[in-house]
Amino acid sequence: DAKTTQPPSMDCAEGRAANLPCNHSTISGNEYVYWYRQIHSQGPQYIIHGLKNNETNEMASLIITEDRKSSTLILPHATLRDTAVYYCIVRVISGNQFYFGTGTSLTVIP
Amino acid sequence: DTEVTQTPKHLVMGMTNKKSLKCEQHMGHRAMYWYKQKAKKPPELMFVYSYEKLSINESVPSRFSPECPNSSLLNLHLHALQPEDSALYLCASSEVGRGGSRGTQYFGPGTRLLVL
């Protein structure tokens, strides 16, 4: 199963872009990258997913490198409500399950 | 509607009690999941149900007994738990598929369990 590596913590100034990196060097060609976040003691919230191309939705943008070994989640204008733990997950191709890595704790500073 | 509901929100039980956690979704998803999350740790997968059949059991002790009575409901029966089983228990659902949008899991708010 492909594993992910993320920095344990990051700070970002309110109103600035938050760029959260993730390494997934063992990802297989048909495995998707998903990003979720978890605000304190709530259930994880889906943010975005991608396979090869960069993706954007109303919450964030996902940039995947050409070799697919890493990706970056971009929150374009971070707010205090974006303070959360962000998880990068590679979906195992043989089934439905997710295996969470340790995640990045993002703190947005006023 | 992308809502997964879980009841109860909080549960306190003794080590000799029997209790159940419930999870419900009405998105037509045929895959449902139980996760356990200890404080300051990521969620850990416990069980996966696919088309109401148990497809994955991540070596979970038998004091946790899952049940999927129909495509909308998922239960977790608890018996003779230990204090170290205290955690946030999360339920999730998704379509059965191999990736992309079909692989997106939607999580409930969780049940916070305390075993005394």
Side-chain angles (χ1 to χ4, degrees), chain A residues 34 36 38 41 91 96 99 101, chain B residues 33 37 42 58 97 100 103 105:
Chain A
Y34 293 82
Y36 282 73
Q38 188 173 26
S41 293
R91 165 99 175 267
N96 296 300
Y99 293 101
Chain B
Y33 314 80
Q37 186 174 27
E58 291 286 345
Q105 290 189 18

Side-chain angles (χ1 to χ4, degrees), chain A residues 12-16 18 37-40 75 77-86 106-110:
Chain A
C12 177
E14 188 178 17
R16 304 297 294 268
R37 72 181 182 185
Q38 188 173 26
I39 297 170
H40 180 62
L75 307 178
H77 305 287
T79 71
L80 299 179
R81 287 180 292 182
D82 292 323
T83 293
V85 178
Y86 287 77
L106 175 69
T107 301
V108 179
I109 301 168

